[in-house]
Each structure stands twice: as C-alpha cells, then as structure tokens.
Amino acid sequence: MTHLPYIAAAYGLTVGLAVLLGTSAALRLRRARARLAAVERPARATRTNAP
Amino acid sequence: MGENETVLNATPSLAARTGNFLHRYANPGRFLRLGARLQPWLTWPAIVLSVAGIVWGLFLSPADWQQGDSVRIMYVHVPAAWLASSGYMGLAVCSLLSLVWRHPLADLAAVEIGPVGASVTAICLATGSLWGKPMWGTWWVWDARLTSVLVLFFLYLGHIALIRAFDEPQRGYRAAAILGLAGAVDLPIIKFSVQWWNTLHQPDSITLTAAPTMSTAMLWPLLVCTLGFTLGFAAILVARLRAAVMESRVRTALAMRRADPHDATREPDREPDRDLGGAVA
C-alpha cells in the first residue's frame, strides 16, 4: 500500500477522536444519571415515609 | 373593521403557531424520554455502519488510477467535511430557535454541538492535510476551500468560548446565538468556493444535480461511511444533550434544597429549570 503512513495517520486520528468523543459522552451521561438519581432519592424517600 | 380584528385575533400568526409547536417538543422531560428511546437506534447502527464503511474503504474498495491508495483517506475526510458543515448548520438553526422563540433546549443543544462540531472540523482539516501532502506535495495552501473550512473551525472555537464567557448563562446563550447565526454565512462560501475561485482543492464529486463523478465501487463505501458517521454524530449529540439536561436538573434541585433545606419533599422535576430558560420538565 503506497502512502501508508498518511493513510494510517488519517484513520488513526479519525477513529481515535470518534472513540474519545463517544466514550466521554457515554461516561458523562452515566455520571449525570447517577447524580440525578442520588439527588432525587431523598426527596422521594421522604415523600414515601410521610404520614 | 371590528370583524377583521376578531379574525386576526382568533388566528395565531405563523410565528406563534411555530413557536407553540416547537415548545411542545422542547419540554426537557419529553426530550429525555425521547432521547432514551432514540439512543440505541442511533448508536448501534452508527457503530456497525462506520466499522463496515471503514473496512470496505480501507481494504475492499479499489485504489484510484491516479492517486493510488491515498484515495482511501477520502472515506474519512469527506464524511468529516460533510459533518463539519451540517453540524454548523444545526448550530445556526439552534441559534435561530433561541433568538426568535427562546426555545429552551436550543441553547443547550448549541452548547453541545460546539465541541463535537469543532472536533469533526479538526478531523476534516487534519485528514485533508494528510491527503494533500502526498498528492499536492504540501500540507497546506491558502486555497479558498481550505481557508473557508479553517474559518469554520475558528467559528466553532469562538462559539465554544463565547457561550461559556458569561457568569449569567442566558447572556452567553444570546451572544453565542448571534455569532452562530452570523457565522452561517461561511457555509455557502465553503460549498461554492471550488466553483467561485480557481482552487487547488478538487470540485465536488457528488452533487444533487448531476451524476457522481466517481466509480460506484468507491461511491458505496463512501455513502456507508457518511451515513455511519452522521448517525454517530447524532448519537454523541443526543447523549451529550441528555447528560446536559440531567446536570441542569441536578443543579436546580441542589439550588432548591439550599434555598429551603427543611422542605425535602419538594419535587425538583416540577420546578422551572433556570438553565433551560424556565422550562418545566
């Protein structure tokens, strides 16, 4: 394959950045979901225990 | 006269009707439910199509008679270029929705489109340079197409900086929306630069009005890659936007708790979200 370093660099950069963006979005979503659940839990528990 | 006035008052304007329609779908709670349902339908096809397109383009498609194997860079460069422009188009639409209708999710979407759009524009510029060096003998030329895409990259960076530059989020949203809308002027310049000026960059191989000027053996993997990357862009955007809405709810709930620590029974979901312009989930 001619010009292999250029091709490898182009694909490596694209795949690397795509994986980075995808992983960071997934981790951020998971963190946000966990924090929201933690914040909402006390309020729900208090309502359930209310007389 | 009085009758006409009654008719005018009874019939909402197109802008008002459009605003009502948009706000119905701007409800953050509804967006979270829709986004959760949409997420797997975007993510998995994006992964499958992108991997298939890359393998097809890298190993199975033919080399070009003139460019040799360097043409394989096209399968990542062209989708990145398409997403750079269409991402900014999305940013401009969000800016319009924000400025005209105060759409609560449009500002958050603009915040999230910026970094993803800047990343794909960076990929477009970098892969273009990596393609240009073996073909043109240079990494960069101040050609109209390359320069206008570089301007697009700076517009994305400017938007990212401006939207976060104010202590009061709403002011940042307004300022960035104006930049987002004004920057859309660059999009037709990018599109038509290869026709308006004598550029080193080649003219478009795929247009809506003419048959593609490339072999179908190259066209199919390019289309698969473009579809896969587009779905991937959408999947990342939806995930980021869902996270942003959740983070905004957390901030609102914590602010409410700080304001009234004894009232733990208050429902954060039903309170207006300040980052979302007061929209109720």
Side-chain angles (χ1 to χ4, degrees):
Chain A
M1 211 182 248
T2 55
H3 304 133
L4 184 62
Y6 299 102
I7 300 167
Y11 276 79
L13 190 74
T14 306
V15 173
L17 210 53
V19 168
L20 188 74
L21 281 172
T23 310
S24 66
L27 290 176
R28 185 179 157 197
L29 181 60
R30 200 169 68 169
R31 234 182 356 252
R33 198 184 284 138
R35 281 202 71 195
L36 184 63
V39 165
E40 286 182 340
R41 206 174 297 130
R44 284 194 183 138
T46 312
R47 272 200 308 278
T48 312
N49 296 335
Chain B
M1 182 67 182
E3 204 171 289
N4 284 348
E5 273 176 7
T6 313
V7 171
L8 283 173
N9 289 338
T11 313
S13 67
L14 178 64
R17 272 182 290 160
T18 313
N20 289 341
F21 172 79
L22 288 170
H23 275 276
R24 198 143 45 96
Y25 291 97
N27 181 305
R30 190 172 291 165
F31 170 77
L32 283 181
R33 286 190 292 277
L34 182 69
R37 243 178 292 155
L38 210 59
Q39 193 76 68
W41 292 97
L42 291 171
T43 307
W44 292 111
I47 293 170
V48 170
L49 286 172
S50 298
V51 170
I54 284 174
V55 170
W56 194 349
L58 206 49
F59 301 110
L60 306 174
S61 71
D64 185 63
W65 69 279
Q66 248 179 341
Q67 300 188 33
D69 284 314
S70 297
V71 78
R72 298 182 198 285
I73 295 175
M74 170 180 75
Y75 303 113
V76 288
H77 174 72
V78 173
W82 147 255
L83 284 174
S85 287
S86 44
Y88 199 88
M89 179 68 87
L91 189 67
V93 170
C94 287
S95 302
L96 185 72
L97 292 176
S98 167
L99 287 173
V100 178
W101 287 287
R102 299 276 193 256
H103 192 289
L105 277 179
D107 293 319
L108 280 190
V111 173
E112 300 307 327
I113 288 174
V116 187
S119 301
V120 291
T121 312
I123 290 174
C124 170
L125 288 167
T127 54
S129 277
L130 287 162
W131 196 2
K133 180 64 180 166
M135 290 300 101
W136 299 339
T138 179
W139 296 103
W140 182 263
V141 281
W142 291 101
D143 161 287
R145 171 60 70 88
L146 276 67
T147 308
S148 53
V149 175
L150 184 66
V151 169
L152 183 73
F153 181 60
F154 289 140
L155 282 168
Y156 272 122
L157 294 185
H159 189 275
I160 293 168
L162 193 58
I163 210 162
R164 292 163 174 82
F166 295 88
D167 289 334
E168 194 187 327
Q170 293 300 327
R171 286 183 67 199
Y173 295 155
R174 291 291 90 76
I178 293 166
L179 174 69
L181 214 49
V185 173
D186 193 38
L187 296 178
I189 298 175
I190 292 173
K191 167 75 182 133
F192 296 109
S193 56
V194 288
Q195 295 167 21
W196 291 344
W197 293 286
N198 186 20
T199 57
L200 188 57
H201 192 284
Q202 66 175 66
D204 296 331
S205 302
I206 306 168
T207 59
L208 289 174
T209 52
T213 58
M214 70 168 74
S215 148
T216 48
M218 292 176 174
L219 182 64
W220 278 110
L222 179 61
L223 292 177
V224 170
C225 266
T226 305
L227 186 61
F229 282 32
T230 306
L231 289 173
F233 187 92
I236 289 170
L237 215 57
V238 168
R240 288 178 68 108
L241 196 46
R242 286 172 66 204
V245 171
M246 288 178 190
E247 287 162 1
S248 171
R249 282 186 168 190
V250 169
R251 277 195 298 275
T252 307
L254 292 177
M256 280 167 48
R257 205 170 288 175
R258 271 196 297 273
D260 188 4
H262 301 297
D263 190 3
T265 58
R266 283 173 72 178
E267 173 59 86
D269 288 2
R270 294 290 152 207
E271 288 299 314
D273 195 325
R274 284 179 300 184
D275 284 1
L276 290 169
V280 177

